Amino acid sequence: MMNPVQTSIPQADGSNRYVIIEPMYEKEGERGWRSSGEYKIYKDAFGDETHLFTEPAEFGGENDDLPDEQNPDYLGKFVFESGSIKHFEGQVLSVAEQAYLAVFIESYQVPDI
């Protein structure tokens, strides 16, 4: 997964929880960016793709972003190591929701365009 992806998690009552899965990257010297193995999960208003972005901002100025712990849309993050889930950090998603998203991330393939 290179870019943020919107998806939904089926709920027991038949409704869906809409989320954005944002892959995290880290600078790898002169070679550019590489996956950090972390995926942040945020609440989403499904269908509103106007706020999605494809690359982190690169600038030398101060970063005024709201920290995840203070962001009401932040649901947690998955940490993967060697392609499989190591752990989930967060308290909002149930174990079933975490399992659903872990499988989604592990099996995600970029759609053909």
Side-chain angles (χ1 to χ4, degrees), residues 108-113:
Y108 181 80
Q109 294 183 8
V110 177
D112 292 334
I113 297 179

Side-chain angles (χ1 to χ4, degrees), residues 6-26:
Q6 293 176 295
T7 192
S8 60
I9 306 168
Q11 303 293 293
D13 66 1
S15 65
N16 288 304
R17 179 190 291 256
Y18 299 106
V19 298
I20 296 172
I21 302 169
E22 180 185 356
M24 304 308 297
Y25 291 89
E26 55 194 16

Side-chain angles (χ1 to χ4, degrees), residues 1-5 7 19-25 34-42 68 74-90 93 98 101-110:
M1 179 182 310
M2 295 288 296
N3 297 317
V5 172
T7 192
V19 298
I20 296 172
I21 302 169
E22 180 185 356
M24 304 308 297
Y25 291 89
R34 71 174 189 89
S35 174
S36 69
E38 296 181 358
Y39 296 83
K40 291 186 179 182
I41 311 299
Y42 296 94
D68 290 329
Y74 180 71
L75 300 174
K77 78 176 175 184
F78 286 95
V79 178
F80 284 78
E81 193 172 276
S82 302
S84 61
I85 190 165
K86 184 176 177 183
H87 65 275
F88 178 78
E89 298 173 7
L93 298 177
Q98 292 173 35
L101 288 178
V103 169
F104 181 90
I105 293 168
E106 289 175 329
S107 62
Y108 181 80
Q109 294 183 8
V110 177

